[in-house]
Amino acid sequence: MKILVQKFGGTSVANLECMQRVREKVTDSLKRADKIVVVLSARAGDTNNLLALAEQWSKNPDAAECDALVSTGEQVSVSLFTTLLKDNGIKARSLLAYQIPVITDDSFGRARIRSIDSDALRAFFEQYDVLVVAGFQGCTEDKRITTLGRGGSDTSAVALAAALESVECEIYTDVTGVYTTDPNICSTARKMDRIAYSEMLELASMGAKVLHIRSVEFAQKYKVAVRVRSTFNDDPGTLVTQEDFSMEALLVSGIAYDRDQARVTLHAVPDVPGVAAAVFGPLSEKDVLVDMIVQNTSLDDLTDITFTVSRKDLKHTLEIMAKISHSIGAAEVVHDVNVAKVSAIGVGMRNHSGVAARAFAALTQEGINILMISTSEIKITILIKEKYVELAVRILHDTFGLDWDID
Ligand code: ADP
Ligand code: ASP
Ligand code: MG
């Protein structure tokens, strides 16, 4: 039995007309597969509206109740879409995560999938040709509803494909595939026919929201080939797959950016052992993810420690810093939310030097000041003022020869 998993994002199911287009795609796909699992996101804007509602009700909404609330966006889209399929005589039913179940841990708001009952899913196929599954949601062993983090429907889809041993998982979205950078801010971005899991992981973790990072981790681990394609045309899109030799020929294969950054600096901290642990220990205890970290060389036995966190964690971070700054002897704590990070990614960097220098020179020429730098084997990341982010993406895209060749 050939099972195909197809996921459609928020803009693909935004309204009746969009859903009718998706119904055509799914109906057509029944010619090349015996059974289809359709994974849907909430309609565009619905998740944001639900989150705003939670914040209107409470300064600090309860995490579990927040998940119970925001997961309803997907319940709306799967039931509406299944109605459309049934109107056309297709044997279909909707499934919420708890009805399968998709079991997760209890990290509300960013839960991780632990198991999926694939036998139960297969049993549903005895009666139905299309199962329409709510993405983004899961449930704990003790039946609490969870969500997988923003953009998490991609992860639902790939995890379902892995559980059903489906060879390919199609992710339908509002762009034609994975590009060398976000095509919505760089008109010269090029669509890639293939991209290695490792590069896609870096792109996703550096902010390219076209795929949720956990979905790429699942795909790599369970060898699911992921095809990113558009709901609005028939292009074959981009295949996310195992690394191959030709990819290493490219020095830099993509540029990503992330506006969800806030910078925090502890000024004039005594340069003694234990300070970093005193700063980052309490943050990790409270589940605050710290991204970039820089500690300056000390002057007069005093140093500055700067790090970045997600903007949603800034308030919490500043509260924690206010508690510890006195005991570690910091002169002051300052922060800045008008920052963003830009990254150049490429497996080809493993064997080449000078990539960072080229990036810095290009940005300097345009007068863009670099606030922080971090590098790994296959990426360079810089923190800059947010107002320069689109310009920096375009400059780096051009510098590393990724621009679309117009002639
Ligand atoms: P969906 O709602 O379908 O899940 P998302 O908005 O989550 O769609 O992801 C698609 C968006 O990702 C595109 O509209 C595009 O702006 C953005 N994006 C960022 N980087 C890239 C990239 N390298 N390639 C393609 N799209 C990208
Ligand atoms: N609806 C959720 C979100 O907006 C999940 C998703 O779209 O993948 O983040
Ligand atoms: Mg998405």
Side-chain angles (χ1 to χ4, degrees):
M1 183 164 71
K2 186 173 177 202
I3 301 172
L4 188 60
V5 178
Q6 301 186 312
K7 177 255 170 179
F8 295 86
T11 39
S12 306
V13 294
N15 52 41
L16 176 59
E17 197 192 338
C18 290
M19 281 206 194
Q20 284 166 333
R21 185 177 300 116
V22 172
R23 173 172 64 181
E24 251 174 64
K25 287 231 174 244
V26 172
T27 310
D28 226 37
S29 304
L30 275 172
K31 293 178 195 145
R32 59 188 167 101
D34 301 309
K35 305 283 178 183
I36 300 185
V37 174
V38 174
V39 179
L40 297 185
S41 291
R43 295 172 303 162
D46 277 6
T47 309
N48 285 346
N49 291 340
L50 290 163
L51 281 168
L53 211 52
E55 269 155 32
Q56 229 176 306
W57 253 246
S58 162
K59 275 198 189 114
N60 193 12
D62 178 80
E65 294 309 332
C66 203
D67 274 6
L69 175 70
V70 295
S71 62
T72 59
E74 273 69 14
Q75 180 162 354
V76 172
S77 56
V78 292
S79 49
L80 287 174
F81 183 66
T82 309
T83 307
L84 287 186
L85 290 177
K86 296 189 78 161
D87 277 357
N88 268 15
I90 294 175
K91 285 195 265 170
R93 73 158 283 175
S94 64
L95 284 168
L96 301 179
Y98 81 87
Q99 293 172 313
I100 298 175
V102 176
I103 301 288
T104 70
D105 62 16
D106 62 358
S107 305
F108 297 102
R110 53 165 172 245
R112 293 169 83 93
I113 295 176
R114 281 193 175 149
S115 67
I116 293 178
D117 190 340
S118 56
D119 291 340
L121 268 175
R122 285 179 194 279
F124 282 120
F125 280 135
E126 283 164 25
Q127 280 185 68
Y128 303 101
D129 292 329
V130 181
L131 298 175
V132 185
V133 178
F136 181 51
Q137 51 176 258
C139 73
T140 63
E141 296 280 5
D142 55 355
K143 298 197 170 62
R144 302 248 24 194
I145 293 170
T146 54
T147 64
L148 311 181
R150 298 306 307 268
S153 298
D154 300 332
T155 298
S156 309
V158 178
L160 285 161
L164 291 166
E165 292 167 10
S166 166
V167 281
E168 200 168 295
C169 176
E170 296 180 332
I171 305 282
Y172 286 88
T173 183
D174 56 359
V175 288
T176 302
V178 181
Y179 283 68
T180 45
T181 192
D182 186 346
N184 287 325
I185 69 159
C186 181
S187 58
T188 49
R190 271 182 297 122
K191 194 204 82 177
M192 295 181 248
D193 292 334
R194 292 158 70 90
I195 182 170
Y197 290 126
S198 56
E199 282 177 326
M200 192 62 238
L201 267 179
E202 291 286 353
L203 272 178
S205 66
M206 291 299 115
K209 63 178 183 156
V210 62
L211 281 179
H212 190 232
I213 178 162
R214 290 277 296 142
S215 73
V216 191
E217 287 170 1
F218 259 107
Q220 184 169 31
K221 186 166 172 194
Y222 296 101
K223 298 196 172 53
V224 178
V226 173
R227 190 172 285 281
V228 180
R229 4 184 4 180
S230 169
T231 304
F232 305 92
N233 62 44
D234 290 325
D235 194 282
T238 302
L239 187 67
V240 188
T241 181
Q242 310 272 29
E243 203 168 298
D244 71 22
F245 185 72
S246 63
M247 288 169 174
E248 296 210 8
L250 273 180
L251 193 57
V252 170
S253 50
I255 312 291
Y257 65 94
D258 185 359
R259 296 179 197 271
D260 183 21
Q261 295 276 309
R263 180 171 63 142
V264 178
T265 301
L266 294 155
H267 276 308
V269 185
D271 192 8
V272 293
V275 168
V279 172
F280 298 113
L283 289 173
S284 98
E285 267 165 40
K286 296 285 177 196
D287 264 355
V288 174
L289 287 179
V290 175
D291 191 347
M292 302 171 83
I293 302 177
V294 168
Q295 179 173 331
N296 295 350
T297 10
S298 62
L299 290 172
D300 305 327
D301 297 328
L302 293 177
T303 185
D304 289 344
I305 297 178
T306 302
F307 58 92
T308 64
V309 292
S310 161
R311 287 180 191 174
K312 70 174 175 1
D313 287 334
L314 180 65
K315 193 167 145 239
H316 203 172
T317 302
L318 293 176
E319 283 163 8
I320 296 171
M321 291 305 109
K323 277 191 201 138
I324 62 156
S325 64
H326 185 68
S327 62
I328 60 169
E332 61 171 347
V333 182
V334 294
H335 69 274
D336 184 358
V337 285
N338 299 311
V339 293
K341 68 176 183 182
V342 179
S343 309
I345 293 135
V347 286
M349 273 187 221
R350 280 192 196 125
N351 309 317
H352 289 84
S353 56
V355 181
R358 265 171 77 187
F360 302 152
L363 295 171
T364 307
Q365 218 171 16
E366 295 294 328
I368 299 177
N369 190 27
I370 297 169
L371 306 172
M372 291 171 86
I373 301 168
S374 93
T375 58
S376 82
E377 208 190 4
I378 67 164
K379 74 163 193 287
I380 301 159
T381 300
I382 50 156
L383 193 80
I384 56 175
K385 284 277 179 203
E386 187 184 1
K387 64 182 176 187
Y388 295 126
V389 70
E390 296 192 6
L391 177 63
V393 166
R394 291 196 278 266
I395 291 168
L396 293 178
H397 196 264
D398 183 25
T399 301
F400 292 109
L402 297 174
D403 275 2
W404 180 253
D405 194 354
I406 297 156
D407 331 308

